[in-house]
Amino acid sequence: MILIKDNIIPKNLQDYYHTLVFGDSNINAMLPLVCKYEPTAFDGHSIPVSFEHVLKSSTKLTEHYGNFSKVPQIVCANLDINLIDIIAARLFITVPHKTKLEHYAPHTDRPEEHLGLIYYLNDSDGDTVFFEGEKIIERVSPKKGRIVLFDGNTLHAGGYPSDTPRCIVNYNIYA
């Protein structure tokens, strides 16, 4: 199951989240970010840089979690899914990177049964790619306001943006 929906999240919230992360002409960005290097993405020349903000994990809950926890609540309510818990929530910004590689290493976020939810904060290149074994079964292009809901045991990987930063919030949920 890979479900792609646009604009389930109201436009005013889309804009609010975008401003929190990127700022605008009147407001500075408000999320503290940690620089992250991904060794599985080394192509022999360089390693791409991304930035991460952990909103919720088993050991951490940030002040911004309340704002971003609305996304899975809205998605599940809209799709008539009973949201039991948001296990983890992480925001990632991948900066543009020129590479021969198409995407990061395929992975699953957690071993147990869960749903994965990706919320795209901006338009970008760098598709999210879904796999069955080594075969690509779906590609999803980053588009502001788009969500992807999928079985959390589905292998997936983020693509490398080449033009603009790619910003997502990745959720792992029990439903």
Side-chain angles (χ1 to χ4, degrees), residues 2-6 138-140 146-149:
I2 299 171
L3 181 66
I4 304 161
K5 294 278 186 182
D6 291 332
E138 185 78 55
R139 291 178 172 277
V140 180
R146 176 171 286 166
I147 64 100
V148 180
L149 185 68

Side-chain angles (χ1 to χ4, degrees), residues 9-17:
I9 306 304
K11 177 89 169 83
N12 65 324
L13 272 180
Q14 292 178 35
D15 293 341
Y16 175 69
Y17 295 140

Side-chain angles (χ1 to χ4, degrees), residues 30-76:
M30 297 181 197
L31 287 180
L33 300 167
V34 174
C35 186
K36 180 180 170 196
Y37 294 93
E38 182 57 58
T40 66
F42 183 68
D43 68 1
H45 296 96
S46 63
I47 297 176
V49 175
S50 62
F51 296 90
E52 175 183 36
H53 180 86
V54 176
L55 296 157
K56 180 183 182 186
S57 70
S58 59
T59 59
K60 188 174 187 176
L61 187 67
T62 71
E63 64 186 274
H64 297 285
Y65 171 72
N67 288 320
F68 286 95
S69 68
K70 293 175 185 168
V71 170
Q73 293 169 14
I74 291 167
V75 169
C76 288

Side-chain angles (χ1 to χ4, degrees), residues 9-131:
I9 306 304
K11 177 89 169 83
N12 65 324
L13 272 180
Q14 292 178 35
D15 293 341
Y16 175 69
Y17 295 140
H18 190 275
T19 301
L20 277 176
V21 175
F22 293 105
D24 65 20
S25 60
N26 299 313
I27 299 170
N28 290 330
M30 297 181 197
L31 287 180
L33 300 167
V34 174
C35 186
K36 180 180 170 196
Y37 294 93
E38 182 57 58
T40 66
F42 183 68
D43 68 1
H45 296 96
S46 63
I47 297 176
V49 175
S50 62
F51 296 90
E52 175 183 36
H53 180 86
V54 176
L55 296 157
K56 180 183 182 186
S57 70
S58 59
T59 59
K60 188 174 187 176
L61 187 67
T62 71
E63 64 186 274
H64 297 285
Y65 171 72
N67 288 320
F68 286 95
S69 68
K70 293 175 185 168
V71 170
Q73 293 169 14
I74 291 167
V75 169
C76 288
N78 186 277
L79 299 174
D80 200 27
I81 295 171
N82 181 30
L83 177 62
I84 297 168
D85 189 23
I86 300 169
I87 310 163
R90 297 164 309 281
L91 182 138
F92 296 102
I93 300 175
T94 306
V95 298
H97 180 73
K98 303 295 183 197
T99 180
K100 295 175 192 163
L101 299 174
E102 186 178 345
H103 50 73
Y104 287 97
H107 65 279
T108 58
D109 296 341
R110 307 180 69 82
E112 72 270 17
E113 295 290 322
H114 69 285
L115 291 175
L117 172 64
I118 297 173
Y119 171 66
Y120 297 95
L121 272 85
N122 67 320
D123 295 341
S124 179
D125 57 337
D127 291 355
T128 303
V129 184
F130 293 89
F131 299 85

